[in-house]
């Protein structure tokens, strides 16, 4: 069923579609790990969106990116929250994450070492980097691809931010109930004057077209 909209819009022949993998942010990191540890011989390409390779203590920055999207859509950006976040909240949360002792395994350096040792050199791989993305780690991954001599790996620069691939419709989320519906209702109550979506549908549409070109 998921293939049918693509078949209608892009003329896909479902029975002849290549097998491709795609991941966003830490999901892109997971795809890289899978390609290193459990390579799929039928895989013909990998799309890595806003590749992120941070440790646990740095992931607080991702929360900040989401809050910026919420503020931007609500028209409440620039009301003093940035200074509070940068001078107090982000350092405090980062320290708490570090002191917790929790870490991603493998760590950032280990991921890059794995790429240099075991990533399939001829696997078609495209990194999608967004212009306003302060969390993107694609530069260091590209360097590891060079070491690995991954000749079919490249990068596409696009307009947008780290959360460009994420567009949430609160109107669609609210009826879902449970935790998702509750979050949507609270956001709508808190920012009653903002639109029904979080994120840019125009930037997402540009990304969809770029992905189709890669396919």
């Amino acid at each position: 069923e998921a293939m049918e909209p693509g078949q209608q819009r892009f003329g896909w022949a479902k029975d002849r579609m290549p097998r491709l993998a795609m991941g966003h942010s830490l999901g892109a990191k997971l795809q890289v790990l899978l390609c290193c540890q459990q390579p799929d011989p039928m895989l013909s390409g990998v799309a890595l969106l806003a590749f992120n390779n941070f440790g646990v203590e740095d992931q607080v920055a991702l929360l900040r990116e989401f809050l910026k999207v919420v503020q931007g859509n609500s028209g409440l950006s620039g009301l003093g929250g940035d200074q509070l976040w940068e001078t107090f909240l982000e350092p405090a949360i980062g320290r708490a994450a570090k002191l917790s002792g929790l870490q991603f395994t493998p760590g950032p350096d280990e991921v890059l070492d794995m790429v240099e040792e075991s990533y399939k050199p001829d696997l078609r791989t495209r990194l999608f980097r967004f212009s306003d993305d302060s969390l993107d780690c694609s530069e260091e991954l590209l360097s590891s691809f060079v070491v690995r001599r991954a000749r079919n790996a490249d990068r596409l620069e696009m307009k947008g931010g780290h959360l460009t691939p994420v567009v949430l419709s609160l109107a669609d989320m609210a009826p879902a109930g449970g935790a998702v519906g509750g979050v949507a209702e609270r956001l709508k109550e808190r920012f009653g004057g903002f639109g029904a979506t979080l994120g840019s549908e125009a930037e997402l549409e540009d990304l969809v077209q770029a992905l189709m070109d890669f396919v």
Side-chain angles (χ1 to χ4, degrees):
E1 293 181 11
M3 296 291 287
E4 290 177 2
Q7 185 177 23
Q8 295 171 4
R9 178 175 176 183
F10 300 104
W12 292 349
K14 292 192 292 184
D15 58 336
R16 297 198 300 272
M17 284 294 293
R19 181 180 296 181
L20 297 132
M22 180 175 68
H24 169 238
S25 190
L26 288 175
K29 179 177 182 174
L30 289 176
Q31 290 294 350
V32 169
L33 291 174
L34 285 171
C35 288
C36 291
Q37 297 179 321
Q38 302 176 27
D40 181 350
M42 300 299 293
L43 195 64
S44 64
V46 183
L48 304 174
L49 284 58
F51 173 77
N52 181 271
N53 192 31
F54 285 174
V56 170
E57 64 270 19
D58 297 315
Q59 290 302 321
V60 64
L62 182 57
L63 173 60
R64 179 55 178 150
E65 288 297 311
F66 177 75
L67 293 178
K68 283 182 178 180
V69 172
V70 173
Q71 284 184 320
N73 281 55
S74 66
L76 296 178
S77 58
L79 297 182
D82 289 344
Q83 184 176 3
L84 176 63
W85 179 272
E86 293 170 2
T87 60
F88 176 71
L89 292 177
E90 183 170 1
I93 298 173
R95 284 194 298 271
K98 188 172 184 178
L99 290 172
S100 71
L102 297 174
Q103 287 296 335
F104 293 134
T105 302
D109 291 338
E110 293 174 297
V111 171
L112 298 177
D113 289 342
M114 291 172 63
V115 170
E116 295 173 11
E117 294 171 2
S118 57
Y119 198 87
K120 190 176 180 181
D122 59 349
L123 180 60
R124 192 164 63 101
T125 306
R126 177 158 296 170
L127 286 76
F128 294 78
R129 184 186 187 283
F130 300 99
S131 57
D132 299 323
D133 186 357
S134 60
L135 308 180
D136 183 271
C137 300
S138 61
E139 190 66 37
E140 58 192 41
L141 181 58
L142 277 176
S143 296
S144 292
F145 282 149
V146 171
V147 173
R148 183 59 178 166
R149 296 185 179 179
R151 55 186 177 275
N152 289 329
D154 60 18
R155 181 171 63 181
L156 179 65
E157 303 276 350
M158 300 195 66
K159 180 182 176 181
H162 193 75
L163 295 179
T164 287
V166 181
V167 174
L168 301 176
S169 170
L170 299 186
D172 291 338
M173 290 167 59
V180 173
V183 169
E185 287 296 340
R186 285 194 291 273
L187 285 172
K188 290 171 71 176
E189 292 171 4
R190 177 66 180 84
F191 304 119
F194 76 150
T197 60
L198 296 177
S200 169
E201 293 181 331
E203 290 177 357
L204 179 61
E205 180 63 25
D206 289 343
L207 174 59
V208 168
Q209 187 57 57
L211 287 167
M212 293 307 99
D213 293 341
F214 176 65
V215 172

